[in-house]
Amino acid sequence: MQTDSTLKVNKRRMTIGILAHADAGKTTLAEGILYTTGTIRKYGRIDHRDTFLDNFSLERERGITIFSKQAQFAYNDMPFTLLDTPGHVDFTSETERVLSVLDMAVLVISGSEGVQSHVRTLFSLLTRYKVPAFVFVNKMDIAAKSEKEIMKDLERELSENCLRFSEKGNEEFYEHAALCGERLMNIYEENDGMIPDAEIKEAIKRREIIPCFFGSALKLSGIEELLNGLSGFASHKEYENGEEIKEASFAARIFKITRDKTGTRLTHLRILRGSLKTKDRISEDEKVEGIRLYNGEKYESVGEVAEGDVCTVTGPVSTFAGQGINTVDAAPPQVTPVLMYKVSFPYGTRLDEAHKNLQILAEEDPELNIQFDEETGEITAMVMGEIQLEVIKTLVKERFQMDISFGNGKILYKETLVKPTVGVGHFEPLRHYAEVHLLMEPGETGSGLIFESNVSTDLLERNWQRLILTHLEEKVHRGVLTGSPLTDVKISLIAGRAHKKHTEGGDFRKATYRAVRQGLMMGESRLLEPYYRFILDIPAISAGRAMNDIKKMSGSFEIEEMGQENAVLTGRCPVSTMREYIKEVNAYTGGVGKLSLSNGGYDECHNPEEVIEEMGYNPEADTRNPVDSVFCAHGSGFVVPWDKVRDYMHISDEGRLISFDEEDENSSGGGQDERQEERPSSKRPAGTGGVGLTTLEDKELAAIFNKTYKSSKTENAYEPMSVVKHEEERKHVDVNIKEKTEEYLLVDGYNIIFSWEDLNELSKQNLAAARGKLADELANYCGFKRCKLILVFDAYKVEGARESVSEYSGIYIVYTKEAETADRYIERTVHSIAKDHKVTVATSDATEQVIIWAKGALRMSARELKDEVEYTKKEIREIIETGDNIGRVKLLSGLPKETAEFIEEIRLGKRVL
């Protein structure tokens, strides 16, 4: 729905946000501001479910703000954009995303409740984002304390720099203001006990002064005083060239992604510099198709917006919340979910579609962090609490017509380091090479992960260093105690090595990930758990019970207040022990006790041994996050366990070469020549040679499999290569071939199509043609190799599809049934035939590689299959192109009868090569 804007102003807009604890009257204040300024004609009320900004059905039903909303108003000739934010603790991340685009904030506090726990969290967030704040104490019509008493609470709980602006002009006001900083004291003395308004305004901008106003939004009391304060003393945030904003004519920051009722993707942003027009590009790939100025749920379409405006654009498809355009991205949110829930769906739900829909919600609320484990078919979401769960269920039902439910929530643990350590990662399959050394140090609490490079460009080129830092930033690094995310660690690149010819970008990704994991294995880690900050207000008679409970829950507390009737305790407590405590409080206080909880960050786990044992994580069995490294000798790769990597590394932590033959720089790889010097003093294991384990990937897979599963339930066609463990075990290991009756080759059709460059390009034009060409290529290969070849395409997205098998030029083509992937079909087939037949599976799916090894089959990558097919075609051509019949007959006589007949059919034109 569109409307014409009633605001025609030429001044730069001031963007203010309204923040509050739930039930403090924030939405009522927003309604009062819009009504007082003439933006709306009807003054809506939450209890009447007709407020201007809370227009989502669940918001009106529950009486809370769930999504941030935008409105526009003007006062004293000053144009404002107002952003109303959620007050409930479950939606703090939505509030935090808004802070990066604000000039000023209004922090609403309930006069009847005082400074609650979540108010402290919001105030700390304002400090973190350097947003100046005005305080509005609401509900003064029902407050038990006077303004002076509440001011003392604000000075104690928030800041000594809180000033009651109703006293402005009085001597006491300026005396208090002078105490807010040395700069203000000097101004006070220079002006004979007075501070000019311009300096007061500057002090507010610097967060040296926090203006406080009092009133009752429901009765429209105190709103005009607040508006006068905002229009007279609020300042625009200035952006200068430097670290925060680039030298460019246009800059903006995106704070939100949503979709309208028609499903159109909307990008919400604020213009920090310059202007934006329809059809402008905000990046090389993203063009603005339309610009909207929202006022509540209505909007006006415009052709251009100016600096300072908050607008919504259509067109971009890959933007994200927090993204900076010609400016730095917003800082990662400080308040993150602490609970993980399994999402359950009705029987028959297609999980791929369900995952896709939930990812749309995760794009709008990134902290949901939707995860889909294809092996288990489990989808999980990370949330703050029960209210958010209800909102997600409602959204999924309304937008995707899908019913979902949630299992029991699990605590989200994290891990950090206790002391510095150095991690080394090496990745050196044939014709690949990279080595990375990382210094990993404990960081400050709440600092997250920090990455930097301390390597000279003389030792490692700048582009490789940037690539390594990119790989560090792109991944959620897992700890080695429970596999939980790593946090509060500074990781510095201190050494690295590339090969002149054989290093590719992906090599440094593998080496970097391994370096992090190896460092964690070598170092000492600590398990962290989330904590609540709490305020517990109970009858004084129940104080003893509460104190004992908090101690039992491994929490800490301070006695904030102890009166004849009431007691107030504040402190911190693990989420795992306090998440259900409100039920007990209600029980032993007869429903009169109040427990206010807010995010208390992460701290040392109170029961780490119990948690680690319960989670049962084995870092050496985690094939997605390997701890070992890969080296190469005599043309073959081998896996070196994490605790032996430093014995094999090619460079020191200072970047110096360690006993490495520079002559190898011109050989087949970074140390992959037959002449390579052997290190350490005892010999490395030689390459295995033979069939089936001729590439590093297979050898590494074998090592991973052995460490993970110890032994397969079904016999492997080949005995995998040993992993280097001890000096006496470092010897040549031969590959033994166990005879089996027939050879089968199972091919994951779409995996191969999208891996082969020519077929991938063809598939973009005509997928059926790509399938046909692959079938022809494999038919020739099968005819020459005389194996049974099964080409599998999944039809799991095709509604009502049934499994079908057809024969084509000597190969079998299978289309799976609905809801069955090619992977599942292949696993099922391997399980049934691998015991009696030699089975190879052609796929580059990393997860599938481990599974097929476990079931007794060999693996062939997409690249290897391509090489095999091309080599086979070359052999056939050589035979066909032999000039005389006698020579050709000699060549054919050395082949199986069926193969010779197949080649003759090609030569005679009965088959096409």
Side-chain angles (χ1 to χ4, degrees):
M1 185 180 293
Q2 301 184 27
T3 181
D4 293 330
S5 175
T6 59
L7 295 172
K8 304 297 181 183
V9 289
N10 297 319
K11 289 185 178 181
R12 179 182 173 189
R13 286 189 178 278
M14 180 79 66
T15 300
I16 63 171
I18 300 187
L19 294 74
H21 189 286
D23 299 324
K26 170 186 56 60
T27 299
T28 304
L29 176 61
E31 196 80 7
I33 289 174
L34 297 177
Y35 181 76
T36 300
T37 57
T39 305
I40 59 176
R41 295 181 179 179
K42 180 184 177 183
Y43 180 51
R45 291 177 51 147
I46 291 176
D47 53 347
H48 295 170
R49 300 184 180 182
D50 61 353
T51 56
F52 183 70
L53 291 175
D54 282 351
N55 43 57
F56 178 49
S57 59
L58 201 58
E59 290 177 316
R60 291 183 170 176
E61 179 183 328
R62 287 186 169 270
I64 60 173
T65 301
I66 296 172
F67 305 108
S68 58
K69 306 292 194 325
Q70 174 182 341
Q72 299 178 47
F73 69 90
Y75 190 81
N76 287 345
D77 201 32
M78 169 67 74
F80 289 89
T81 295
L82 182 150
L83 296 176
D84 186 21
T85 66
H88 197 282
V89 65
D90 280 12
F91 308 105
T92 307
S93 58
E94 174 87 1
T95 299
E96 189 173 355
R97 283 191 289 272
V98 170
L99 299 185
S100 64
V101 299
L102 296 182
D103 290 316
M104 295 276 165
V106 176
L107 181 60
V108 184
I109 297 173
S110 170
S112 59
E113 299 290 343
V115 178
Q116 297 169 285
S117 180
H118 188 51
V119 171
R120 293 194 184 100
T121 299
L122 294 173
F123 190 77
S124 68
L125 289 175
L126 291 172
T127 303
R128 184 192 189 207
Y129 286 90
K130 300 178 181 178
V131 179
F134 286 65
V135 170
F136 184 80
V137 181
N138 192 26
K139 300 186 179 181
M140 286 304 296
D141 55 325
I142 58 172
K145 293 182 178 181
S146 66
E147 289 188 13
K148 285 189 176 181
E149 289 174 321
I150 292 175
M151 279 304 304
K152 290 181 180 179
D153 291 341
L154 295 178
E155 291 171 11
R156 183 181 68 253
E157 300 288 348
L158 297 183
S159 171
E160 294 180 351
N161 295 358
C162 290
L163 293 182
R164 184 158 51 134
F165 250 53
S166 61
E167 296 179 344
K168 186 179 173 299
N170 298 340
E171 183 178 342
E172 184 180 347
F173 175 87
Y174 292 117
E175 287 179 356
H176 193 168
L179 296 175
C180 292
E182 184 177 348
R183 189 184 70 88
L184 289 170
M185 178 61 75
N186 292 335
I187 295 171
Y188 175 78
E189 292 175 348
E190 292 170 0
N191 289 273
D192 299 324
M194 198 273 291
I195 301 176
D197 284 355
E199 295 297 344
I200 296 289
K201 183 174 182 178
E202 179 64 20
I204 293 171
K205 182 179 180 179
R206 292 167 173 255
R207 291 179 54 83
E208 295 171 344
I209 288 177
I210 302 172
C212 298
F213 300 84
F214 293 78
S216 172
L218 185 62
K219 297 185 176 181
L220 299 177
S221 168
I223 292 179
E224 286 195 21
E225 289 79 359
L226 173 63
L227 288 170
N228 286 327
L230 288 170
S231 61
F233 292 92
S235 302
H236 294 97
K237 184 174 182 179
E238 301 299 332
Y239 297 90
E240 298 179 358
N241 293 333
E243 292 184 2
E244 187 169 10
I245 195 166
K246 299 178 182 178
E247 292 189 27
S249 59
F250 172 78
R253 177 167 290 127
I254 297 165
F255 65 93
K256 187 175 180 180
I257 303 295
T258 62
R259 283 167 175 78
D260 64 15
K261 294 179 180 179
T262 65
T264 301
R265 189 178 190 272
L266 305 177
T267 298
H268 302 255
L269 53 86
R270 188 183 183 203
I271 312 299
L272 306 182
R273 175 179 293 172
S275 61
L276 181 66
K277 298 178 182 179
T278 305
K279 304 303 180 184
D280 280 354
R281 289 189 177 276
I282 58 175
S283 68
E284 290 184 6
D285 303 321
E286 301 282 16
K287 184 169 69 173
V288 174
E289 298 295 341
I291 302 175
R292 302 177 181 180
L293 292 179
Y294 271 89
N295 203 19
E297 63 180 338
K298 302 177 181 179
Y299 68 87
E300 174 192 4
S301 293
V302 297
E304 181 178 6
V305 283
E307 182 173 322
D309 285 349
V310 174
C311 65
T312 302
V313 301
T314 60
V317 296
S318 59
T319 48
F320 58 89
Q323 178 183 352
I325 302 170
N326 292 326
T327 184
V328 295
D329 292 343
Q334 180 173 308
V335 179
T336 56
V338 296
L339 300 172
M340 180 174 68
Y341 289 81
K342 178 183 175 181
V343 187
S344 299
F345 304 90
Y347 178 78
T349 300
R350 289 172 16 195
L351 292 182
D352 60 315
E353 290 295 329
H355 179 235
K356 180 181 177 181
N357 291 336
L358 290 176
Q359 284 291 11
I360 292 175
L361 293 185
E363 187 181 42
E364 299 171 10
D365 183 1
E367 307 319 308
L368 281 178
N369 196 12
I370 302 295
Q371 299 288 332
F372 180 28
D373 189 327
E374 294 187 1
E375 290 184 30
T376 63
E378 184 174 282
I379 296 178
T380 57
M382 298 182 185
V383 300
M384 293 291 291
E386 298 291 333
I387 301 296
Q388 191 180 10
L389 290 178
E390 293 302 315
V391 171
I392 294 171
K393 286 193 281 189
T394 301
L395 287 174
V396 171
K397 177 67 174 179
E398 290 185 359
R399 293 174 60 174
F400 310 119
Q401 294 74 53
M402 185 167 59
D403 292 305
I404 64 171
S405 58
F406 294 93
N408 293 325
K410 298 179 180 179
I411 300 296
L412 289 174
Y413 293 92
K414 293 186 179 181
E415 299 181 30
T416 191
L417 279 173
V418 175
K419 55 188 177 181
T421 183
V422 174
V424 180
H426 190 96
F427 186 70
E428 189 187 1
L430 193 63
R431 294 184 292 276
H432 294 267
Y433 185 90
E435 183 165 304
V436 173
H437 293 229
L438 301 172
L439 171 64
M440 305 171 66
E441 305 169 276
E444 296 181 4
T445 300
S447 62
L449 296 180
I450 299 173
F451 308 108
E452 68 176 25
S453 176
N454 295 326
V455 179
S456 168
T457 53
D458 294 335
L459 298 176
L460 186 64
E461 291 181 8
R462 178 74 64 190
N463 64 310
W464 292 130
Q465 295 186 38
R466 288 173 178 161
L467 186 62
I468 292 169
L469 293 178
T470 298
H471 292 325
L472 284 170
E473 293 171 355
E474 71 189 4
K475 182 178 174 64
V476 176
H477 299 284
R478 301 287 174 182
V480 295
L481 300 177
T482 61
S484 300
L486 186 67
T487 189
D488 298 344
V489 175
K490 180 183 178 182
I491 302 179
S492 305
L493 174 65
I494 58 173
R497 191 167 191 270
H499 188 272
K500 292 178 181 177
K501 294 188 296 184
H502 298 294
T503 297
E504 299 176 356
D507 299 343
F508 271 113
R509 176 184 290 111
K510 298 280 189 181
T512 300
Y513 293 172
R514 283 167 165 78
V516 173
R517 296 286 285 175
Q518 197 266 352
L520 292 173
M521 293 293 287
M522 295 292 290
E524 181 183 351
S525 295
R526 172 180 293 146
L527 188 64
L528 306 176
E529 67 176 331
Y531 275 68
Y532 283 135
R533 284 194 181 91
F534 68 84
I535 299 177
L536 181 58
D537 188 343
I538 51 176
I541 195 172
S542 302
R545 159 71 186 269
M547 293 177 190
N548 286 330
D549 286 349
I550 294 169
K551 289 179 180 179
K552 289 179 182 178
M553 293 186 292
S554 301
S556 59
F557 66 89
E558 292 182 359
I559 301 174
E560 193 79 14
E561 183 181 320
M562 183 65 74
Q564 293 292 327
E565 298 182 356
N566 272 53
V568 179
L569 307 179
T570 62
R572 296 173 77 239
C573 194
V575 171
S576 59
T577 59
M578 191 171 243
R579 55 187 294 203
E580 303 291 339
Y581 186 58
I582 184 61
K583 298 176 182 177
E584 293 187 41
V585 173
N586 289 334
Y588 71 71
T589 66
V592 300
K594 297 178 182 179
L595 177 63
S596 177
L597 301 175
S598 64
N599 187 294
Y602 276 77
D603 210 333
E604 188 170 355
C605 183
H606 76 284
N607 59 336
E609 295 85 4
E610 181 182 336
V611 173
I612 291 170
E613 182 179 358
E614 181 182 347
M615 297 185 75
Y617 178 71
N618 180 4
E620 296 186 67
D622 187 347
T623 57
R624 296 181 181 181
N625 300 282
V627 298
D628 303 330
S629 280
V630 179
F631 288 79
C632 188
H634 307 296
S636 297
F638 61 98
V639 177
V640 174
W642 60 270
D643 56 341
K644 305 296 181 184
V645 169
R646 297 193 69 86
D647 294 336
Y648 286 80
M649 63 189 190
H650 288 179
I651 57 175
S652 68
D653 293 337
E654 294 76 31
R656 297 191 303 270
L657 288 171
I658 302 176
S659 185
F660 184 79
D661 189 353
E662 283 296 324
E663 187 178 2
D664 291 334
E665 278 292 317
N666 299 315
S667 67
S668 61
Q672 298 170 12
D673 189 72
E674 292 286 341
R675 301 163 297 171
Q676 179 177 327
E677 181 178 339
E678 293 166 339
R679 294 179 303 100
S681 56
S682 61
K683 290 186 177 181
R684 294 176 171 189
T688 63
V691 180
L693 290 176
T694 58
T695 65
L696 166 88
E697 288 89 346
D698 284 331
K699 297 182 178 72
E700 183 177 19
L701 185 63
I704 291 170
F705 170 77
N706 277 341
K707 287 190 297 178
T708 306
Y709 300 101
K710 302 301 181 185
S711 61
S712 176
K713 294 180 181 179
T714 58
E715 289 188 65
N716 285 333
Y718 303 128
E719 294 296 328
M721 188 177 74
S722 300
V723 177
V724 180
K725 293 182 180 178
H726 305 289
E727 295 288 333
E728 63 272 15
E729 294 178 357
R730 292 177 182 156
K731 58 186 180 181
H732 178 82
V733 181
D734 290 321
V735 175
N736 299 319
I737 301 179
K738 180 179 175 65
E739 292 295 334
K740 293 194 176 183
T741 55
E742 280 187 299
E743 292 188 19
Y744 280 81
L745 174 61
L746 280 74
V747 179
D748 186 340
Y750 287 126
N751 183 279
I752 301 301
I753 285 175
F754 298 132
S755 297
W756 290 9
E757 186 175 348
D758 56 339
L759 293 182
N760 190 20
E761 289 299 317
L762 179 59
S763 70
K764 295 175 183 177
Q765 307 298 324
N766 189 325
L767 185 58
R771 289 196 298 263
K773 185 175 180 181
L774 176 61
D776 289 335
E777 296 275 20
L778 295 179
N780 287 331
Y781 175 77
C782 177
F784 185 82
K785 291 292 187 179
R786 309 315 303 172
C787 62
K788 290 192 179 295
L789 194 149
I790 303 174
L791 176 58
V792 185
F793 294 107
D794 45 31
Y796 74 102
K797 291 184 180 180
V798 180
E799 189 172 352
R802 296 183 178 182
E803 183 180 305
S804 66
V805 182
S806 60
E807 188 174 356
Y808 173 78
S809 296
I811 69 173
Y812 296 95
I813 300 179
V814 175
Y815 285 91
T816 65
K817 61 187 177 182
E818 180 187 4
E820 183 178 44
T821 64
D823 293 346
R824 299 296 185 198
Y825 178 90
I826 290 172
E827 291 165 24
R828 182 161 52 88
T829 304
V830 169
H831 179 76
S832 64
I833 66 176
K835 185 175 182 180
D836 300 317
H837 305 286
K838 190 170 88 172
V839 182
T840 301
V841 176
T843 180
S844 288
D845 187 301
T847 304
E848 191 70 6
Q849 294 171 8
V850 175
I851 295 174
I852 61 178
W853 269 91
K855 295 183 180 297
L858 300 174
R859 170 261 186 192
M860 179 186 291
S861 70
R863 177 177 56 81
E864 290 172 319
L865 179 60
K866 181 71 170 177
D867 292 343
E868 285 279 314
V869 168
E870 293 300 323
Y871 184 76
T872 298
K873 289 163 68 175
K874 180 181 177 183
E875 282 193 278
I876 294 173
R877 286 194 183 97
E878 288 177 353
I879 295 173
I880 293 174
E881 293 170 1
T882 300
D884 60 290
N885 290 331
I886 295 175
R888 184 167 58 254
V889 169
K890 285 182 178 180
L891 290 172
L892 291 173
S893 65
L895 298 173
K897 179 182 177 182
E898 294 85 353
T899 302
E901 291 175 351
F902 170 77
I903 294 175
E904 276 297 286
E905 288 180 2
I906 294 177
R907 188 180 71 82
L908 297 174
K910 297 180 180 180
R911 284 180 175 268
V912 178
L913 181 61

